[in-house]
Amino acid sequence: MSGAEELLRSKGLRVTRPRLAVLDVLAAGGHLEVDEITRRVRERLDSVSTQAVYDVLGALSRAGLSRRIEPAGSPARFEARAGDNHHHVVCRGCGDIADIDCAVGSAPCLDPNTAHGFQVDEAEVTFWGLCPACQTRRRADV
Ligand SMILES: [Zn+2]
Ligand SMILES: [Zn+2]
Ligand SMILES: [Zn+2]
């Protein structure tokens, strides 16, 4: 039994080829758009619809095996690194995304002075800036 199969079973999910393929694609790392995930899944399976990939990603996310992020101005992206409340830094130039460890490690890692009676369970932290490649490009442009 592969690690991906064990992972699915440990979450009570049925083991299917599309689920295994999507987990495999996500395990390679990065923050992938659905189109990219679908393209890579199709390299492994003969035919799989985009809708099927969406369905798999939904099931994996609900089970805590993948995480969905959606930075402003970017389509939704998925990653295998879930459950550690890490944050992201997004490049304003090219949209590249990198992980930033959460200093606290569990949500919500920021404590509002007043939550107006809300029970807060998450703070969505996104850092914005310029990636190294875009900084170089920008210096070369001037
Ligand atoms: Zn960049
Ligand atoms: Zn991430
Ligand atoms: Zn944090």
Side-chain angles (χ1 to χ4, degrees):
M1 195 157 68
S2 74
E5 282 184 51
E6 259 171 71
L7 219 50
L8 287 170
R9 286 184 211 278
S10 74
K11 300 289 181 183
L13 292 180
R14 218 155 35 84
V15 176
T16 65
R17 293 180 69 219
R19 284 176 179 174
L20 289 175
V22 170
L23 273 178
D24 194 36
V25 167
L26 291 177
H31 305 85
L32 304 174
E33 293 176 24
V34 174
D35 286 352
E36 175 66 12
I37 295 170
T38 305
R39 197 180 61 73
R40 294 196 201 175
V41 166
R42 284 188 182 138
E43 290 170 0
R44 293 163 167 80
L45 301 178
D46 295 337
S47 74
V48 61
S49 67
T50 306
Q51 186 56 48
V53 171
Y54 269 109
D55 292 347
V56 169
L57 287 166
L60 296 179
S61 298
R62 280 191 299 276
L65 294 179
S66 81
R67 177 170 164 191
R68 179 186 200 275
I69 59 166
E70 196 166 354
S74 161
R77 291 158 182 269
F78 292 84
E79 63 180 329
R81 192 177 163 184
D84 65 352
N85 198 52
H86 73 274
H87 305 304
H88 296 98
V89 58
V90 185
C91 178
R92 290 190 192 282
C94 66
D96 195 23
I97 299 177
D99 288 336
I100 294 193
D101 288 340
C102 177
V104 178
S106 61
C109 56
L110 300 176
D111 222 347
N113 288 330
T114 169
H116 305 283
F118 284 62
Q119 190 174 21
V120 175
D121 58 34
E122 184 183 356
E124 196 172 288
V125 181
T126 304
F127 300 91
W128 294 87
L130 276 184
C131 75
C134 286
Q135 292 173 46
T136 308
R137 217 169 294 137
R138 206 155 274 208
R139 272 196 297 273
D141 280 348
V142 287

